[in-house]
Amino acid sequence: MRIFLGQGISIFTYLVIIIALLLYVIWGWPNEEAWLSLLETTYAQIPFGVWIVFVLAFISFGFSLNTLQKVRSQEKKIETSLRPLLAETFEPSKKKYTQTKRMQATVTQLEQLILTQRKTLQRITNEKAETQDRIIQERLVQERQRLARELHDSVSQQLFAASMLLSTMVEIEEAKNGEVPKTLMQTEKIVQQAQLEMRALLLHLRPAALHNKTLKEGLEELLQELQEKVFFTIRYRLEEVSLSKGAEDHLFRIAQETLSNTLRHAKATEVDILFVERDNLAIFRVQDNGVGFEVGEGKNGSYGIQSVRERAVEIGATCKVVSVPSQGTIVEVKLPIEKPVAQPINLEKITTAERSE
């Protein structure tokens, strides 16, 4: 009601102001001749001015009432349209609950699908990285083999020829004069040392893969080939030991590193190689009677020995280096062998079988 009266009075005031302004425009400033005629002129014994006020009041409050009715009508429509939504909000129906459960199940399936796709992408990425690493390793092996072939066919052959010529010259000088010049002897030693360095390098460049051979077979082939090219005695004792492919490859590379160090630094006349199995341990040992070195010196931490130790750690083995100056060096690697665990006997099954018999 207050809204109705307030709105009606406001509209009536605006209309009165508008009519007054119109009369001012027509008649000018209020005067007795024009403005008093509104009170003197009557219709049905009521002054014309009163009729104007009555009409304006009727229009104002009629418009206010009409507006109020429209607002109430819109409020009812809104309330009618919102009532079902409010009912669903505060009193969820069984259908609403079923739709929620279906939506949750769909979200769960999407999460599982995303997780599966993520794992697949990770697996593909890992496989791609492994493939690239394998390709790089294969290329490295091919390059090592190429370098080994070129060095063997060129530099190694030339050093061998130079060594043979120097040996012949030494024999001739010794036959003529009874002694050999020191410079000639030093040159022969330098060439022989260069041959040892070259053979050590070729040994280091040799592929570490055994190519479907056991470690014993690979070591035998390596040592037989080495015996034909060195000036010292090689003795070896090798046994068949059951090891994993990775362990055999690492031990073969350790053998290459150790023999390469012996060729370059030991100046030995005898080398003994041992590969046996004792007390569930695979034991690989290289022993020489060379110049040796102090264990506390820098040679003990040289690249070759350090590489051997790192490879031993990678396969869970222990590496021991013992060296005495002027007496020789021993490099020993021990690797625990994992034996297959025997399956326990099921006594219940045996008892049941005996009873059934």
Side-chain angles (χ1 to χ4, degrees):
M1 188 66 180
R2 291 180 180 179
I3 297 174
F4 168 71
L5 292 176
Q7 188 176 13
I9 293 172
S10 298
I11 296 172
F12 175 75
T13 304
Y14 292 144
L15 290 177
V16 169
I17 293 172
I18 292 172
I19 294 299
L21 290 174
L22 290 174
L23 293 176
Y24 173 76
V25 171
I26 297 172
W27 291 339
W29 190 257
N31 50 59
E32 295 181 356
E33 295 180 359
W35 290 81
L36 290 177
S37 63
L38 296 175
L39 298 176
E40 293 175 354
T41 305
T42 60
Y43 178 74
Q45 298 181 354
I46 298 174
F48 193 71
V50 176
W51 281 107
I52 293 175
V53 172
F54 178 75
V55 171
L56 293 178
F58 179 78
I59 293 172
S60 300
F61 287 100
F63 183 79
S64 176
L65 180 61
N66 185 34
T67 303
L68 184 60
Q69 288 178 351
K70 288 183 178 180
V71 171
R72 293 286 176 83
S73 177
Q74 292 294 329
E75 288 179 353
K76 288 182 179 180
K77 289 181 179 180
I78 293 172
E79 183 180 357
T80 303
S81 60
L82 289 178
R83 189 176 292 112
L85 296 177
L86 293 174
E88 289 183 1
T89 302
F90 294 102
E91 297 178 1
S93 62
K94 185 177 181 180
K95 182 177 180 182
K96 183 75 173 179
Y97 180 76
T98 304
Q99 291 177 350
T100 304
K101 295 295 288 184
R102 290 178 179 175
M103 186 178 296
Q104 290 178 353
T106 304
V107 170
T108 304
Q109 291 177 357
L110 288 174
E111 290 178 352
Q112 292 178 352
L113 180 61
I114 293 172
L115 183 60
T116 303
Q117 293 293 331
R118 185 183 302 169
K119 290 181 178 179
T120 303
L121 289 175
Q122 291 176 351
R123 179 176 55 80
I124 293 173
T125 303
N126 294 334
E127 290 178 353
K128 183 178 180 181
E130 292 175 358
T131 302
Q132 290 178 347
D133 290 340
R134 186 167 59 253
I135 293 173
I136 291 172
Q137 291 299 325
E138 290 176 354
R139 290 178 179 175
L140 287 175
V141 170
Q142 293 174 0
E143 187 64 18
R144 290 162 71 101
Q145 291 176 344
R146 186 186 66 81
L147 289 174
R149 285 194 302 269
E150 291 183 358
L151 290 174
H152 181 272
D153 295 339
S154 58
V155 182
S156 181
Q157 296 296 332
Q158 293 173 4
L159 286 174
F160 178 75
S163 177
M164 294 298 293
L165 289 174
L166 286 171
S167 298
T168 303
M169 292 175 64
V170 168
E171 291 177 358
I172 293 173
E173 289 292 332
E174 188 175 6
K176 286 182 178 181
N177 304 322
E179 63 177 349
V180 182
K182 291 183 179 180
T183 54
L184 189 59
M185 294 294 295
Q186 290 176 352
T187 304
E188 185 182 17
K189 289 182 179 179
I190 291 173
V191 172
Q192 289 177 353
Q193 185 61 32
Q195 278 188 290
L196 290 177
E197 291 283 348
M198 180 58 62
R199 286 161 185 164
L201 180 59
L202 292 175
L203 183 65
H204 185 73
L205 290 175
R206 183 187 180 96
L210 293 173
H211 298 296
N212 298 324
K213 297 178 183 178
T214 63
L215 182 57
K216 177 187 175 184
E217 295 172 348
L219 289 175
E220 283 180 348
E221 181 181 345
L222 175 65
L223 295 174
Q224 288 172 3
E225 180 182 347
L226 195 61
Q227 276 181 326
E228 301 174 356
K229 298 179 180 180
V230 296
F231 307 110
F232 51 81
T233 303
I234 297 177
R235 294 185 295 267
Y236 56 88
R237 179 184 173 188
L238 307 174
E239 296 180 359
E240 287 287 355
V241 182
S242 179
L243 296 173
S244 64
K245 177 64 176 172
E248 287 188 340
D249 288 342
H250 272 66
L251 284 176
F252 188 68
R253 176 56 76 182
I254 288 172
Q256 288 178 297
E257 293 279 0
T258 307
L259 292 172
S260 176
N261 290 336
T262 303
L263 287 174
R264 285 187 290 180
H265 307 299
K267 298 180 182 179
T269 58
E270 295 180 356
V271 177
D272 293 293
I273 295 95
L274 178 70
F275 178 61
V276 296
E277 178 183 354
R278 296 290 184 272
D279 299 327
N280 291 332
L281 290 175
I283 302 173
F284 175 76
R285 182 189 303 153
V286 177
Q287 181 176 356
D288 65 68
N289 63 345
V291 295
F293 57 89
E294 291 289 346
V295 176
E297 291 182 357
K299 289 183 179 179
N300 189 38
S302 64
Y303 174 77
I305 297 297
Q306 186 65 24
S307 177
V308 169
R309 286 176 172 164
E310 289 176 356
R311 290 185 182 277
V313 170
E314 288 178 1
I315 56 176
T318 58
C319 179
K320 182 179 180 182
V321 180
V322 178
S323 184
V324 179
S326 302
Q327 295 187 21
T329 304
I330 300 175
V331 178
E332 185 178 72
V333 176
K334 292 183 178 181
L335 174 64
I337 300 175
E338 296 182 0
K339 297 293 185 180
V341 180
Q343 295 293 332
I345 300 175
N346 195 331
L347 298 177
E348 294 182 358
K349 289 186 178 180
I350 296 175
T351 304
T352 306
E354 290 177 352
R355 290 178 179 175
S356 61
E357 290 177 358

